[in-house]
Amino acid sequence: MWAYAARRTAIGLVLLLVLSFVTFVLFFAAPVDQARYACGKQCTEEQIAVTERALGYDKPVYEQWGAFVKGIVAGRQFPADPEVRAAAPETVSDCAAPCLGYSKLNAKTVNELIGDAAPISIALALVAVVMWLIGGVSLGILAAVTKGSIVDRGIVGLTLVAYAFPSFFIGVFMLKYVAIRWELVPLPRYVSIEDGGVFTWLENLLLPGFVLALLFLAGYVRMTRAFVLESLSEDYIRTARAKGLKGRVVLFKHGLRAALTPLVTMTGLDLAGLLGGAIITESVFAYPGLGLLTVQASNAWDLPTIIGVVVLAGAFVIVANIIVDIAYAFIDPRVRLG
Amino acid sequence: MSDDIDQADHTENTSHADHAGHADHADPVVAADAPVDLDDVTGHAASELDPEAPPVLTVENLRMYFPVHATGLIRRKVGDVQAVDGVSFVVPEGGSLGLVGESGCGKSTTGRAITRLYKPTSGSIKFGGKDLATISSRELKGMRSEIQMIFQDPYSSLNPRHTVGSIIGAPLRIHNMVPKDQTLKRVQELLEVVGLNPEHYNRYPNEFSGGQRQRIGIARALALRPKVIVADEPVSALDVSIQAQVINLLQDLQREFNIAFLFIAHDLAVVRHFCPEVAVMYLGKIVEIGDRDSIYGNAHHPYTQALLSAVPDVRQASVGGRRERIRLQGDVPSPIDPPSGCRFRTRCPIAQEICAKHEPPLMQIGRRHKVACHFPGRLGEAPREPLTTGLLGVDGEGRPDPGASPSNDLVDQPGYADTWFDLDAKRIGRA
Amino acid sequence: MTNMTKSSPTPTATDGTPFLEVDNLKVHFPTADGVVKATDGLSFNLERGKTLGIVGESGSGKSVSSSAILGLHRGTNAQVSGEIRLDGVDLLSLSNEEMRLRRGKDIAMIFQDPLSAMHPYYSVGVQLAEAYRVHNNVNRKAARTRVVEMLELVGIPQPDRRYDAYPHQFSGGMRQRAMIAMALINDPTLVIADEPTTALDVTVQAQILDLLTNLQKEFNTAVIIITHDLGVVAEMSDDVLVMYGGRAVEYGPCREVLTHPEMPYTWGLLSSVPDVSADTNARMVPIPGNPPSLLNPPSGCAFHPRCTFRDEVPGDLCTTVLPELEPASRPGHLKRCHLADPDRIYAKQVLPEIAPDLAKEA
């Protein structure tokens, strides 16, 4: 298993390198003069050239990428130009390995930016995943065991409705009614655990977490329902019943065990995707998470931040994939890692 | 890795499950509207051997290995699944050779290597003056029309989204067999040939019963007028009453179009009926090959004998109780690490020391009968001393015998020689 | 359809006290297209220590009937009627909970494909222990001891080590042995084996059938073996019941039915399967057509559209009147057919085709 994990990790690292390089290339392939944009409308050609040099955009792409990779391995100091550093030592910021870069626009290293934003996205994602798993799996099981009845049809119908509304609509709707008009929850703003304690932290996450969960809930209800139905039609369920086991044991011990396995994969990958930031939800609720960071960086053509977020999100997905595959081998004894 | 293979092998014969089990009320629509033609019940006797027929397919020393990789950081190759390990045989023009054996013996792999669904590891497959084992992929496309395959499972081997007409017509179009406007006519002819209603070309596979679907598979195989058909368990997924229909159909088609069959099956009785010649495989090798009477009436290999004695016999009803039989212990060993010497020795009731040391050559012991055993003999009459020592140049315990010189006279050729070692007379027999 | 089977007295194929009595069992499935009559009036008896072979093709109702005996249709939309008396108790009148307590204890089942019939995620030992503990109030350790004992009994080497292996790590034969151990772990009085060897190779099949025979002797179990293989029936059963279209068409002692069959469908089954030891001049005569639709069964005798001996029956009897399951020419032998003189037709027309050697002897 360790050999498997090691091999997968090695492949993952190569993938991340490729990913970052592609991002560099795409960034500079865009029909925009990035330096002019960064400098602002009033800049003269000369100022633009200075900005370009300051941002390091004047160097060839592969050199910039090489510096980026080196930063990850060995750390860097910013500004990159040693002369500039020598001239104004008070502006130098150290960026220890693994250094993802320095955002001039935010005057912070990308590591710091991500360090501020990531806990918010992670908290949001975790709250959402718990909500949609509890809701999705239990509703899915309920629909499966009452297949064809009014309950089943009701659940499936409701999930379709939830599916049909776009997340920004539900977000704004919830914000307006649940938080503002009915005041069921406080107007959500992110409060860290250190600042407000667990309860406040959680209370503030309920509404955005719910909006995010709704987005996935429908899919999980329907998948759980399908997997449970499939599992219940397997021969081993008949065997379990033929043994004289109670219906409850047949359903939960024999039926669900197999049905929930594919959900582990789905959950792992969906969660990984979310850790990179839930763009719409964070925008609606103005949560300064990775999603919002990404939006701001993209709007400002802030290359280091973009690269940083892309690589981080990519790493989440790769790690989640490895974990899911290894988890699978623990769940299903037939799976052998190799 | 070995587990995967195990599973694949065991699923081979299980598809009967689906139909006999809980699909008890499946296929109601078809059965109801299919007209029954009561004239279609002419009985068919067993196929007969034409000893003069020239070979159409000659397989020599065919090997099919599948690599096994380590699970470490670098997945280096650590061994091979020796699925087929040096088999040689001849399929005569318009005749049938049966390939029997249990799960994992390599019979299906042999069939797939011959149709070039797999690229053989080594050996040759001579057909029409060419060697299919090494032929270029361009030439291979041309040859595909000459060797066709019928698969076991008529439920999964037909694309459910294509009509019967397009399934049968596809090979015609790909190989430009008939002008475009003639395709439909030819498809309808083919449907008629296999006993289906030609008007049904527009229907989808799920509208047909299992037996009818197998007929569709046969029509598809026939479309290109092949010289050889490899039939891999063509009836084992069908209900018993339907099996006979399909076997009779295959016999009729063979006679009408002079098609040679490599007939792969685990059902010894069906093979006996369809194939005048039979090869018995065990763990990747042919252990005994011969004409019907040699195998079913005069088997000399302990495995063939065990296999035959294990078949439940309906005639036992008049006596009652279980038939006397040879009981093999244990399971088939792994093809990744097969036993040394004779591969059957770990389960063989008459194995001796030499069996672990030397692989027995496939020795001709009759006009059309070869056996790979150091102690070949009729049931209960196995010789005490190994009969292969002269051929191998060893003594009775398998040690090299300086006095003897190994000879290859009676072994390792596809087909049969004019001379053989007569076990009863203990001398060389002659045709 | 024109003629409902009236509830005839339970036929007896063997004398002695029946342990299992199935009387006019019907299993119907309502579907959107109509009622599927999977089993339609099935009656048979079985003593302890005896084996009944049920033969039939897909859709003959053989598997559905056995599931009904086990009560597996409870909780589905199947409509089950008739009587299934086990040791005098009508199983169909029991509550769901009472039936559950008998399932796996008094009646056990061996399934066709042990790979899919065992849960892939639990070890073989755990699955067997579960079957034991649901009916016996014992701790884990005692259950383990019992399981190892059973695995040993069915011939699994190193049972203590194999306890923790998963089904996929067993070979096909070993899995079926484990399945048999699971069925027998509570000393059931009735075992239903549904195609127990169909998925197995022939040499393994022989091992498993031997094992079943020996265990049956040891525990005096009543066994129902469901199969399409007449050879298996011939070697295993005391009685045989041939089913077609949800009904019994021939029933009696195995020796009788398979040597002097009187129903054309049974003839067809015999003639469409070649025999390894038969005369090579024997002909293989298929049954034309396909098994009947259970949704829209043929009128009269369900076999009439495929029957080549229809002309021997006067008038349109075969197409209009469902024949009763009536005594045939030999004692204990029942058949459902209008043919007046089936013995003669079999000897003169069928046997010479399918077994010329036997025909000559006779």
Side-chain angles (χ1 to χ4, degrees), chain C residues 167-225:
Chain C
H168 72 276
Q169 294 166 325
F170 276 47
S171 70
M174 285 299 154
R175 266 196 299 265
Q176 195 56 292
R177 284 173 192 269
M179 194 80 211
I180 291 173
M182 182 149 89
L184 297 182
I185 202 161
N186 294 312
D187 292 329
T189 45
L190 172 65
V191 170
I192 303 172
D194 188 353
E195 305 263 8
T197 58
T198 305
L200 303 176
D201 277 319
V202 54
T203 58
V204 182
Q205 165 173 295
Q207 294 172 358
I208 296 294
L209 293 181
D210 284 345
L211 174 68
L212 266 179
T213 315
N214 296 340
L215 293 174
Q216 177 181 26
K217 271 190 205 129
E218 199 174 327
F219 296 104
N220 196 30
T221 325
V223 173
I224 297 176
I225 185 161

Side-chain angles (χ1 to χ4, degrees), chain B residues 17 20 24 31 36 41 43-44 102-103 209 239 241 245 247-248 272 312-315 317 319 322 325 327-328 331, chain C residues 57-59 112 171 201 203 205-207 210 235 255 275-278 283-284 286-291 305-306 357:
Chain B
D24 252 17
V36 177
V41 285
H44 282 43
E102 299 182 281
S103 314
S209 69
D239 262 321
S241 73
Q245 295 177 5
I247 293 288
N248 282 359
R272 179 174 182 264
D313 189 353
V314 67
R315 293 187 180 206
V319 190
R322 305 272 292 141
R325 50 175 46 100
R327 287 169 170 80
L328 290 183
D331 290 313
Chain C
E57 298 178 89
S58 316
Q112 171 173 258
S171 70
D201 277 319
T203 58
Q205 165 173 295
Q207 294 172 358
D210 284 345
E235 296 203 14
R255 196 175 293 196
D275 195 291
V276 268
S277 62
R283 287 175 182 277
M284 195 159 81
I287 305 174
N290 288 292
R306 306 174 73 189
D357 48 338

Side-chain angles (χ1 to χ4, degrees), chain B residues 11-178:
Chain B
T11 50
E12 202 174 82
N13 321 337
T14 55
S15 43
H16 218 111
D18 313 341
H19 325 313
H22 31 94
D24 252 17
H25 41 268
D27 290 330
V29 190
V30 193
D33 71 0
V36 177
D37 180 5
L38 291 183
D39 301 332
D40 188 29
V41 285
T42 41
H44 282 43
S47 305
E48 279 175 38
L49 174 71
D50 173 11
E52 304 301 318
V56 61
L57 183 74
T58 306
V59 174
E60 193 167 349
N61 210 6
L62 182 71
R63 285 200 162 74
M64 189 66 234
Y65 288 6
F66 298 100
V68 181
H69 294 285
T71 53
L73 193 56
I74 297 154
R75 309 193 58 195
R76 82 204 133 77
K77 197 181 121 176
V78 289
D80 283 301
V81 177
Q82 304 175 14
V84 178
D85 195 19
V87 304
S88 307
F89 56 79
V90 165
V91 182
E93 208 175 280
S96 319
L97 175 73
L99 221 47
V100 299
E102 299 182 281
S103 314
C105 73
K107 55 187 195 298
S108 289
T109 311
T110 306
R112 284 169 192 204
I114 286 167
T115 44
R116 279 299 305 273
L117 293 177
Y118 299 143
K119 171 131 182 55
T121 309
S122 72
S124 72
I125 305 164
K126 296 259 166 51
F127 174 82
K130 297 210 168 70
D131 184 357
L132 299 185
T134 53
I135 199 167
S136 73
S137 45
R138 244 189 68 231
E139 279 182 300
L140 185 64
K141 194 193 160 199
M143 301 308 279
R144 287 229 193 266
S145 64
E146 312 252 359
I147 301 187
Q148 284 290 308
M149 192 146 184
I150 301 172
F151 296 93
Q152 171 183 6
D153 188 354
Y155 291 83
S156 61
S157 61
L158 301 177
N159 188 332
R161 283 171 198 84
H162 289 179
T163 64
V164 167
S166 82
I167 289 171
I168 301 173
L172 296 172
R173 284 191 297 276
I174 292 164
H175 289 270
N176 293 319
M177 288 290 282
V178 290

Side-chain angles (χ1 to χ4, degrees), chain C residues 26-193:
Chain C
K26 292 182 180 173
V27 185
H28 292 182
F29 297 93
T31 69
D33 302 321
V35 178
V36 171
K37 296 176 178 172
T39 303
D40 206 15
L42 182 69
S43 303
F44 62 82
N45 288 335
L46 185 60
E47 291 169 46
R48 284 203 72 160
K50 296 283 183 192
T51 303
L52 170 72
I54 302 184
V55 188
E57 298 178 89
S58 316
S60 63
K62 57 192 197 310
S63 292
V64 171
S65 309
S66 61
S67 297
I69 296 173
L70 212 56
L72 289 182
H73 292 305
R74 288 165 186 258
T76 70
N77 64 352
Q79 299 159 349
V80 184
S81 67
E83 274 185 48
I84 302 171
R85 281 187 302 277
L86 185 75
D87 214 3
V89 180
D90 183 8
L91 299 181
L92 292 183
S93 65
L94 294 179
S95 73
N96 284 349
E97 182 64 9
E98 284 169 324
M99 188 62 218
R100 179 183 74 76
L101 291 171
R102 284 172 184 265
R103 228 182 274 149
K105 185 164 192 302
D106 298 335
I107 316 163
M109 190 139 177
I110 298 166
F111 294 100
Q112 171 173 258
D113 180 3
L115 184 62
S116 64
M118 288 192 142
H119 201 295
Y121 293 177
Y122 296 106
S123 77
V124 170
V126 164
Q127 297 190 50
L128 266 73
E130 187 184 37
Y132 187 59
R133 292 185 70 194
V134 70
H135 297 295
N136 295 278
N137 191 15
V138 294
N139 62 19
R140 240 168 246 270
K141 218 177 136 214
R144 190 183 171 111
T145 314
R146 170 74 178 160
V147 169
V148 171
E149 186 186 302
M150 285 307 292
L151 289 177
E152 184 149 30
L153 182 75
V154 297
I156 289 177
Q158 299 174 296
D160 204 33
R161 268 186 54 206
R162 300 299 269 170
Y163 183 97
D164 295 310
Y166 290 93
H168 72 276
Q169 294 166 325
F170 276 47
S171 70
M174 285 299 154
R175 266 196 299 265
Q176 195 56 292
R177 284 173 192 269
M179 194 80 211
I180 291 173
M182 182 149 89
L184 297 182
I185 202 161
N186 294 312
D187 292 329
T189 45
L190 172 65
V191 170
I192 303 172

Side-chain angles (χ1 to χ4, degrees), chain A residues 3 6-7 235 336-338, chain B residues 1 3 7 22 71-73 75:
Chain A
R7 191 171 70 241
D235 283 356
R336 288 179 39 152
L337 301 176
Chain B
M1 204 53 196
D3 290 326
Q7 273 183 37
H22 31 94
T71 53
L73 193 56
R75 309 193 58 195

